[in-house]
Amino acid sequence: MPEPRLAGPVEVVGAGLLGTSIGLACRRAGIEVLLTDTTAENVRTASGLGAGRPRTPEDRPALVVVAVPPDHLGAVIAAALDATEGTDAVVTDVGSVKGVPLAAVAGHPGVARYVGSHPMAGSERSGPLAGSASLFDGRPWAITPHAGSDPAAVETVEALVRLAGGVPVWLTPDEHDRAVARTSHVPHLLSALVAGRLASGPENHLALSGQGVRDVTRVAAGDPRLYGQIVSANADAVVALLDEVRAELDRVRDAVGRGDRSALEQVLERGVAGTRVIPAKHGGPARPMASVWVSVPDHPGELARLLADAVASEVNIEDIRIDHDPGRPVGLVELLVEEARADHLVASLESRGWTAHR
């Protein structure tokens, strides 16, 4: 069957990071985009970036994409359905929780034209200036039709996802909310709890901070107001998982307290097993990976030289992290590669004068 096609114009309500990026992706494909936002400056900025033009009262969108904060999703989706009453216009949203907005419009006469969705893409930056036409390229994008969704509306949302470069993932609204609780919301809360222990830590304790604590706490730096809205909107799924974590934490505490190394190792082994089922970067099962550590002088051009030498080794670099040592004028760069190629990369880099090890 041919892939569904998207006809414009597309109205984007909320010209922040996601809304502007959707506008830019649609314009990249030649689709007319109409922009709406309660903040006129956002519309001006997004328009200036080429993400679309301000909507006028005469415009008749074929698709409305609601990209507003979680607390406002239900009301704005309902308003979009009201504004397009008597037309075939489809309404979707890109919020990170699907059950609550669906419940808010479940009784609306136009609910068949509503299909929720959620791109798993973002940035540590926010606002229209952070927008990018390529933000969704290759990223999973959940499509969450409800029991009463019009099949044509579902096809329209799928067409948007594919046009923007996303990879459709089909879930019910409830499945989606349970999935993001497991893969996003609860990990964010746990990261915040660990980071919170640092806030009151003595300076000499914090001096021992390394890459491990940075990895664990990175997402804790997200906007508390936004994530407060997200987690609150997904309370049932989050609480169910937190209950599991609390029970597991009690077992860990007891095992540590009584010196039960066997029980503690069982918990750690389950953690290792969890890391192995995270999908690979292009989907599918995770592949065995290994870290190659390289000492890099903290001088201009050194990182570029390292990457050029890694390319010359004909080993594909799957990921890269940098750990800065405050006590030395070097950085420790971690290159993640397929396990079978790690030894070759170490030998190749050492032959080019680098200090490298697994």
Side-chain angles (χ1 to χ4, degrees):
M1 293 181 62
E3 289 187 358
R5 297 180 62 83
L6 181 64
V10 172
E11 179 183 5
V12 176
V13 182
L17 166 66
L18 291 182
T20 299
S21 297
I22 289 169
L24 290 168
C26 288
R27 293 299 303 133
R28 179 180 63 181
I31 302 294
E32 183 180 12
V33 178
L34 317 171
L35 299 172
T36 305
D37 197 292
T38 56
T39 303
E41 182 61 29
N42 282 356
V43 172
R44 285 193 294 270
T45 301
S47 298
L49 293 170
R53 63 172 176 83
R55 183 188 176 179
T56 68
E58 294 76 25
D59 289 318
R60 296 292 180 266
L63 170 65
V64 180
V65 182
V66 176
V68 300
D71 280 356
H72 305 287
L73 279 173
V76 178
I77 293 167
L81 291 172
D82 289 340
T84 55
E85 185 179 3
T87 75
D88 295 328
V90 175
V91 177
T92 189
D93 74 288
V94 292
S96 54
V97 176
K98 305 275 56 108
V100 168
L102 175 59
V105 298
H108 195 285
V111 69
R113 296 187 284 114
Y114 166 66
V115 178
S117 73
H118 177 208
M120 300 302 292
S123 167
E124 69 279 2
R125 300 169 60 208
S126 61
L129 288 173
S132 169
S134 62
L135 183 67
F136 311 107
D137 288 350
R139 300 297 301 166
W141 190 323
I143 303 175
T144 61
H146 56 87
S149 292
D150 186 329
V154 178
E155 290 184 356
T156 297
V157 175
E158 180 186 355
L160 170 69
V161 172
R162 295 189 184 280
L163 176 147
V167 179
V169 178
W170 300 90
L171 297 166
T172 68
D174 285 345
E175 287 174 330
H176 168 274
D177 289 355
R178 292 196 298 270
V180 292
R182 186 180 304 275
T183 61
S184 177
H185 302 167
V186 168
H188 191 106
L189 290 175
L190 297 180
S191 177
L193 289 174
V194 174
R197 299 313 92 207
L198 301 176
S200 58
E203 185 175 346
N204 61 339
H205 291 192
L206 300 177
L208 299 181
S209 299
Q211 192 59 40
V213 75
R214 293 188 181 96
D215 288 344
V216 170
T217 60
R218 182 182 61 82
V219 297
D223 183 351
R225 289 170 296 181
L226 174 61
Y227 281 95
Q229 292 182 40
I230 291 171
V231 171
S232 297
N234 200 19
D236 290 346
V238 169
V239 167
L241 277 174
L242 286 177
D243 285 344
E244 294 180 14
V245 172
R246 180 167 62 180
E248 192 78 352
L249 184 58
D250 286 340
R251 285 192 285 271
V252 170
R253 184 184 183 282
D254 290 345
V256 173
R258 65 175 183 267
D260 189 341
R261 187 173 298 177
S262 176
L264 181 59
E265 289 177 355
Q266 289 176 15
V267 172
L268 296 172
E269 286 169 0
R270 283 196 293 274
V272 172
T275 66
R276 289 174 176 166
V277 299
I278 298 173
K281 67 178 184 180
H282 297 304
R287 293 169 294 164
M289 294 289 166
S291 293
V292 171
W293 300 90
V294 188
S295 295
V296 179
D298 192 10
H299 304 308
E302 289 299 303
L303 182 59
R305 184 169 70 87
L306 169 63
L307 295 178
D309 286 346
V311 169
S313 73
E314 299 184 346
V315 175
N316 187 45
I317 305 301
E318 304 288 341
D319 203 353
I320 181 171
R321 304 184 185 94
I322 303 176
D323 185 9
H324 296 284
D325 187 341
R328 295 187 300 164
V330 298
L332 194 60
V333 175
E334 179 186 10
L335 302 175
L336 196 66
V337 300
E338 288 192 22
E339 191 170 44
R341 300 289 285 161
D343 288 339
H344 173 79
L345 178 60
V346 169
S348 178
L349 291 176
E350 287 181 337
S351 71
R352 290 171 168 83
W354 295 99
T355 301
H357 65 87
R358 292 186 60 176

